Amino acid sequence: MKKITWLLPLVVVTIYVHAQKREDRKTIGNLQLHINSLSSDKLNGRSTGAPGEQLAATYIASQLQQIGLTPMGDDGFLQTFTVKETREPAATCHMTLNEDKLPAGKQFLPLPFSAEKTVKGEVMPGVNEPDNIWFINITDIDTDSHKTMLQQYLEQTKIAEKSGATGVIFYNGKESVAEVTKWLEQHPAATGIPAVWVSNDISKKLSSEDAGSFQVNLQVAFKAIKRSGTNVIGYINNKAPRTIVIGAHYDYPGWETTAQAEDNASGTAALLEIARILNGSRLHNNNYVIVAFSGKEQGLFGSKYFASHSTVNLSQVNYMINMDGIGQLNPGTPLQIGGAGTSPGWAAILQQAASKDLPLVYDSTGINNSDHASFYQKNIPVLYFSTSTASSDSKINYEGTLNVLKLVYNIIDKTNDKDKLAFSSIP
């Protein structure tokens, strides 16, 4: 009888350890599945507004649905927001110099205040007459350092219009095509005549000493461009008075890319696993909002939009946790935790939640350019977990990612029975 009494605790511990190892293997397997899916070439990098981002959003939403979360977007799990509104030359926008057809967007670009009209004329550089198109050499005008070049182009166009010009072609400008394209995001009032900028190679033709007259045929037309991003939002409703927001961005840097996705598949995979574990946990004193943000790489557009158009009451949010690039945690390398100064309660909680398996480095500020900053601006305590990102499955440290995931769970566990955390502003 004594032998049974002594062995029983050992049996219980052994069963627990085996069960924990099974759960860890399951979690790592799921992390591998999610990271491989989000890093697939089919997603073309998950750039905000690109088709690959929509494929990624669909995958994340389907996983949240399988886990059993409640949709909390504006359209099911999805919340769409505008990232960029601009214009580009329409298909009908064209310009010819003599017999040469210039490609719009490469050798010429309409300026954002240009009228959408068609004009023709025989034009000679340096000879600007009424009822004709004008060539204006930027090097011949007195520039004003107190005005932007776009303002000065507009000013010159207005002068030309008052003098009877039917259109304006600016050459020898120092801007690049990319800079002038960026101007199209602005929407100044249109002038009454077309106005275009030409590239360096066309400027050389117009500046040539033997340049004669040019037959010009110009039509300006714009096409409106609206680029949207999509947040993916799930909810665990425990009917609690407080809510915890857990987030990670899933978009890739840049607008378009065919590179293999590398940032932030690991954080998004951990987010999905946290959602699964919390949905089956005993931690019911908080509700949980799970958000996969897009638009982070373009200026935190997704998290800013959510924080301003939240589908939950932000006044009830206890705190926000952000995982951004946690997949490449080398053995012995500490995990970076930012935002530790955003609540006086974080120091004790982090000490209680920490594990010897995961060395930590704290940053009391940590309000850098990632999605938690959007919540800090709303006076919500935040924590930010990061190492660096990896581009392929073989470079991901899954044990390290698992340890980060466990730390997030431990923090939620240690705050389960506590009051709402107080917010501290960082100087």
Side-chain angles (χ1 to χ4, degrees), residues 175-190:
E175 303 81 21
S176 65
V177 171
E179 288 176 284
V180 180
T181 300
K182 186 74 174 175
W183 287 349
L184 293 177
E185 295 179 18
Q186 303 183 41
H187 297 274

Side-chain angles (χ1 to χ4, degrees), residues 32-64:
Q32 291 172 330
L33 170 66
H34 298 321
I35 289 174
N36 288 337
S37 297
L38 292 168
S39 299
S40 168
D41 290 339
K42 294 178 181 178
L43 273 60
N44 289 324
R46 309 186 310 274
S47 301
T48 301
E53 181 224 32
Q54 294 301 302
L55 291 174
T58 299
Y59 175 82
I60 296 167
S62 69
Q63 292 301 311
L64 293 178

Side-chain angles (χ1 to χ4, degrees), residues 233-244:
I233 310 165
Y235 187 55
I236 300 173
N237 185 4
N238 291 320
K239 296 180 172 57
R242 302 181 301 272
T243 298
I244 296 171

Side-chain angles (χ1 to χ4, degrees), residues 294-341:
S294 188
K296 181 262 181 178
E297 304 294 354
Q298 284 69 44
L300 313 185
F301 276 93
S303 57
K304 286 178 181 177
Y305 186 85
F306 177 86
S308 298
H309 303 81
S310 178
T311 53
V312 297
N313 187 348
L314 286 188
S315 68
Q316 296 177 346
V317 171
N318 194 351
Y319 56 85
M320 189 269 180
I321 289 179
N322 179 29
M323 297 177 288
D324 189 354
I326 59 171
Q328 203 171 37
L329 189 66
N330 295 323
T333 302
L335 176 72
Q336 305 287 328
I337 300 183

Side-chain angles (χ1 to χ4, degrees), residues 246-262:
I246 309 165
H249 80 92
Y250 71 96
D251 61 307
Y252 184 85
W255 288 115
E256 304 287 348
T257 179
T258 56
Q260 186 176 19
E262 60 180 13

Side-chain angles (χ1 to χ4, degrees), residues 34-306:
H34 298 321
I35 289 174
N36 288 337
S37 297
L38 292 168
S39 299
S40 168
D41 290 339
K42 294 178 181 178
L43 273 60
N44 289 324
R46 309 186 310 274
S47 301
T48 301
E53 181 224 32
Q54 294 301 302
L55 291 174
T58 299
Y59 175 82
I60 296 167
S62 69
Q63 292 301 311
L64 293 178
Q65 184 176 34
Q66 288 179 33
I67 292 167
L69 270 61
T70 301
M72 282 296 283
D74 300 321
D75 179 14
F77 288 98
L78 309 182
Q79 180 188 58
T80 303
F81 55 92
T82 299
V83 178
K84 185 178 182 181
E85 289 187 270
T86 186
R87 293 174 293 171
E88 66 181 24
T92 55
C93 186
H94 67 266
M95 178 177 174
T96 60
L97 282 177
N98 295 330
E99 299 301 320
D100 295 329
K101 294 182 179 179
L102 310 185
K106 294 183 179 180
Q107 292 187 314
F108 86 97
L109 271 166
L111 293 165
F113 51 77
S114 174
E116 296 187 75
K117 291 183 177 179
T118 300
V119 291
K120 298 179 181 180
E122 185 174 354
V123 191
M124 183 176 291
V127 181
N128 293 327
E129 300 174 334
D131 299 319
N132 201 1
I133 300 170
W134 286 19
F135 285 136
I136 296 182
N137 188 344
I138 292 299
T139 60
D140 290 340
I141 66 174
D142 294 327
T143 56
D144 186 344
S145 61
H146 298 291
K147 296 179 180 179
T148 67
M149 281 310 300
L150 180 57
Q151 289 172 331
Q152 294 177 76
Y153 279 117
L154 175 57
E155 188 176 83
Q156 291 296 318
T157 301
K158 288 180 176 179
I159 293 171
E161 183 181 3
K162 287 182 179 179
S163 301
T166 58
V168 178
I169 298 171
F170 292 98
Y171 66 104
N172 282 334
K174 295 181 180 180
E175 303 81 21
S176 65
V177 171
E179 288 176 284
V180 180
T181 300
K182 186 74 174 175
W183 287 349
L184 293 177
E185 295 179 18
Q186 303 183 41
H187 297 274
T191 58
I193 60 175
V196 302
W197 171 96
V198 297
S199 62
N200 185 55
D201 55 336
I202 302 302
S203 295
K204 287 180 180 179
K205 290 184 180 181
L206 300 179
S207 301
S208 174
E209 292 184 359
D210 60 354
S213 62
F214 292 86
Q215 293 289 336
V216 178
N217 187 332
L218 173 64
Q219 180 177 350
V220 171
F222 291 108
K223 176 185 176 182
I225 300 294
K226 183 175 181 179
R227 189 181 289 270
S228 298
T230 303
N231 293 328
V232 189
I233 310 165
Y235 187 55
I236 300 173
N237 185 4
N238 291 320
K239 296 180 172 57
R242 302 181 301 272
T243 298
I244 296 171
V245 178
I246 309 165
H249 80 92
Y250 71 96
D251 61 307
Y252 184 85
W255 288 115
E256 304 287 348
T257 179
T258 56
Q260 186 176 19
E262 60 180 13
D263 180 13
N264 172 39
S266 59
T268 306
L271 180 71
L272 292 173
E273 280 304 280
I274 281 286
R276 179 183 68 82
I277 294 168
L278 286 175
N279 198 43
S281 77
R282 58 174 176 78
L283 305 179
H284 296 154
N285 291 342
N286 288 283
N287 309 309
Y288 304 102
V289 177
I290 307 296
V291 192
F293 298 109
S294 188
K296 181 262 181 178
E297 304 294 354
Q298 284 69 44
L300 313 185
F301 276 93
S303 57
K304 286 178 181 177
Y305 186 85
F306 177 86

Side-chain angles (χ1 to χ4, degrees), residues 406-422:
K406 287 181 176 180
L407 175 62
V408 172
Y409 183 87
N410 286 344
I411 290 169
I412 297 170
D413 184 14
K414 299 306 179 185
T415 59
N416 187 61
D417 295 322
K418 295 183 182 294
D419 293 333
K420 190 171 183 286
L421 289 183

